[in-house]
Amino acid sequence: MESTLAFTAAAWAIAMALGPVLQIRRIVDQQSSRGVSIAFFAVLLVGFGLWLAYGIAAGNLALIVPNTVAAIVMAATIGVALRYR
């Protein structure tokens, strides 16, 4: 039961981590990131980094995989937002 829950939670976390891709798409379509808080995404990036570090320390793939995806997407979002600022 625990491994099924871990897999389900990790799969959903990956889906959530991909959510900001919609924001990237909007920024690129509008050629502007004025309505985006880069500081908000930076706070999230730090949080994902901390959870990733904890997952690595604990050897827990259910934490490592989704937080890696989330950190990559968040860094990309910040990069795109800065490019169109």
Side-chain angles (χ1 to χ4, degrees), residues 9 13 15 25 37-38 44 50 53 56 58 69 72 75 79 85:
R25 186 173 143 207
S37 172
I38 295 173
L44 289 176
L50 290 170
I56 291 169
V69 172
I72 291 168
R85 192 45 58 109

Side-chain angles (χ1 to χ4, degrees), residues 8-84:
T8 304
W12 189 256
I14 290 170
M16 289 174 44
L18 293 172
V21 170
L22 300 171
Q23 187 68 59
I24 292 172
R25 186 173 143 207
R26 184 170 184 199
I27 292 169
V28 172
D29 286 347
Q30 294 181 349
Q31 299 288 305
S32 174
S33 65
R34 286 189 187 178
V36 174
S37 172
I38 295 173
F40 172 73
F41 287 118
V43 168
L44 289 176
L45 179 60
V46 170
F48 293 132
L50 290 170
W51 276 107
L52 175 59
Y54 175 70
I56 291 169
N60 187 333
L61 282 177
L63 291 174
I64 295 170
V65 174
N67 284 294
T68 299
V69 172
I72 291 168
V73 171
M74 215 44 60
T77 304
I78 292 169
V80 170
L82 288 171
R83 181 171 183 256
Y84 287 101

Side-chain angles (χ1 to χ4, degrees), residues 1-10 62:
M1 177 68 175
E2 183 181 340
S3 61
T4 301
L5 182 58
F7 175 79
T8 304

